[in-house]
Amino acid sequence: MTANTPVIEVTDLKKHFPVKKGLLRRTVGHVYAVDGVSFSLKAGETLGLVGESGCGKTTAGRAVLRLTEPTSGSIKVEGTEITGLSKAELRPYRRQMQIIFQDPFSSLNPRMTAGEIVGEPLLVHGVSSAKARQEEVAALFARVGLRPAQMANYPHQFSGGQRQRIGIARALALGPKLIVGDEPVSALDVSIQAQVINLLMDLQRERQLSYLFISHNLAVVEHISHQIAVMYLGRIVEHADTRSIFMRPQHPYTEALLSAVPVPDPAIKRQKRVLQGDVPSPMKPPSGCHFHTRCPYAEARCKVETPPLREIAPGHRVSCHLR
Ligand code: SF4
């Protein structure tokens, strides 16, 4: 591994879920949840993965961590391929990759104290001394803005923002390099969202953490992300640094998502583009460009030819025949 080796490098990742029917549970089709996703992340970098609900971003995040087994593709953690590894072989890599969930309440065991929840990964990964765990958990509590005295409290005794801080402390316990945040602030009030995002950014600076930050909301990912990938029906349709995505969006879907983001400066007017219809079923994605059924610029060839994800400027990739 060299200094430039990405913390995570994902190439052509696919996750297709079989759809089974009838008494014999025959496979009658597939849900193409993730259909050829590629990206890489360096230490201390955040990739925002955005798209409407059902676009496959959560499945992509889970597949990267092998919480759901990918159908195909490559996942390298600091240069080591982890897709073929057995559970035992994967164990050291699991320490390095953690997840923070959207709903901190349902992801925290209500029968465990907050201290036990945060200390559990330490116990599972061999920190057997109760005193050492207690000290480590107290330090994590203090770092995420909770009082160590609150370690004895149960999840229902905390506010939503505090529960997400418990989730972050638990994710930090094993000293990970990559954290996947699956809509980690979506369930929180706007003022609390900013506090949690600022905490994540501080922790990133301190620990050189890499984040895969999954959200349906471009405004949320803007603040924290260095690069943004926009997903539609299992595929990345645009991928660039955050500034380029916001200043010069190239894909019609990105344009539409951005037009819904409020602009703080009243002098700047953005033309609102309302997307027609819902996201089509990932079981029967439209032919050619998956977006053609909702795209205001669609041409005849868009229905038959799949546009490749092409680099149109350094580091800016777009999948559209018109770019
Ligand atoms: Fe729209 Fe065609 Fe571009 Fe797809 S390829 S985004 S349908 S213009």
Side-chain angles (χ1 to χ4, degrees):
M1 196 189 83
T2 70
N4 288 328
T5 306
V7 169
I8 185 111
E9 189 173 13
V10 173
T11 310
D12 204 18
L13 186 69
K14 294 185 181 173
K15 177 64 191 177
H16 300 164
F17 294 100
V19 180
K20 296 185 185 286
K21 265 202 180 148
L23 213 58
L24 299 176
R25 309 301 295 151
R26 278 215 194 93
T27 301
V28 293
H30 284 88
V31 172
Y32 300 95
V34 179
D35 202 21
V37 161
S38 303
F39 63 84
S40 69
L41 261 177
K42 292 192 279 229
E45 202 179 29
T46 300
L47 169 67
L49 195 57
V50 296
E52 289 163 286
S53 141
C55 71
K57 56 194 188 304
T58 290
T59 306
R62 294 182 63 86
V64 164
L65 300 180
R66 282 196 55 194
L67 296 175
T68 181
E69 275 307 317
T71 304
S72 63
S74 158
I75 304 167
K76 287 185 179 163
V77 176
E78 295 192 317
T80 304
E81 180 65 53
I82 64 158
T83 45
L85 299 185
S86 66
K87 263 191 178 169
E89 290 167 332
L90 195 60
R91 213 172 142 82
Y93 298 97
R94 285 235 182 273
R95 291 183 74 122
Q96 296 181 20
M97 305 188 293
Q98 297 293 318
I99 187 164
I100 306 170
F101 295 99
Q102 172 180 4
D103 180 355
F105 199 51
S106 61
S107 62
L108 303 179
N109 186 335
R111 284 183 288 277
M112 290 169 77
T113 66
E116 287 167 347
I117 289 169
V118 174
E120 189 181 41
L122 295 168
L123 183 63
V124 170
H125 282 266
V127 181
S128 52
S129 152
K131 188 167 177 288
R133 281 202 308 276
Q134 181 92 352
E135 284 171 5
E136 182 62 32
V137 172
L140 287 165
F141 263 58
R143 182 58 201 92
V144 299
L146 296 169
R147 283 178 290 111
Q150 292 173 297
M151 285 160 57
N153 293 356
Y154 287 86
H156 73 271
Q157 295 173 290
F158 293 89
S159 68
Q162 286 175 326
R163 283 197 287 265
Q164 198 51 295
R165 288 173 193 268
I166 296 171
I168 293 170
R170 181 183 161 97
L172 290 177
L174 295 170
K177 298 197 169 158
L178 170 74
I179 292 182
V180 174
D182 186 6
E183 302 269 10
V185 298
S186 303
L188 305 176
D189 291 344
V190 174
S191 60
I192 311 290
Q193 285 186 357
Q195 291 173 14
V196 171
I197 286 181
N198 286 337
L199 171 64
L200 287 170
M201 290 173 75
D202 289 345
L203 291 168
Q204 180 171 56
R205 273 189 291 272
E206 272 171 38
R207 301 171 186 227
Q208 282 295 290
L209 291 167
S210 303
Y211 294 141
L212 178 60
F213 196 97
I214 296 166
S215 176
H216 66 281
N217 187 338
L218 264 167
V220 167
V221 299
E222 180 185 13
H223 195 55
I224 194 168
S225 303
H226 301 94
Q227 38 168 328
I228 290 178
V230 180
M231 267 188 90
Y232 190 76
L233 278 181
R235 297 176 182 165
I236 290 177
V237 295
E238 184 161 9
H239 184 179
D241 64 274
T242 301
R243 190 177 160 78
S244 299
I245 289 279
F246 274 79
M247 302 301 285
R248 290 179 298 281
Q250 296 295 315
H251 196 282
Y253 182 56
T254 314
E255 279 178 10
L257 290 181
L258 270 176
S259 76
V261 174
V263 185
D265 183 348
I268 301 174
K269 293 246 178 303
R270 225 180 233 156
Q271 198 190 344
K272 186 147 171 106
R273 293 207 180 86
V274 181
L275 275 172
Q276 302 299 321
D278 295 327
V279 182
S281 163
M283 222 180 124
K284 281 193 188 132
S287 57
C289 172
H290 286 350
F291 190 54
H292 82 253
T293 54
R294 302 169 82 195
C295 180
Y297 314 108
E299 300 176 342
R301 67 170 166 162
C302 301
K303 293 185 186 170
V304 285
E305 280 176 42
T306 303
L309 190 62
R310 282 186 306 117
E311 190 160 40
I312 56 157
H316 196 149
R317 299 185 297 154
V318 186
S319 155
C320 175
H321 291 308
L322 304 189
R323 308 294 177 206

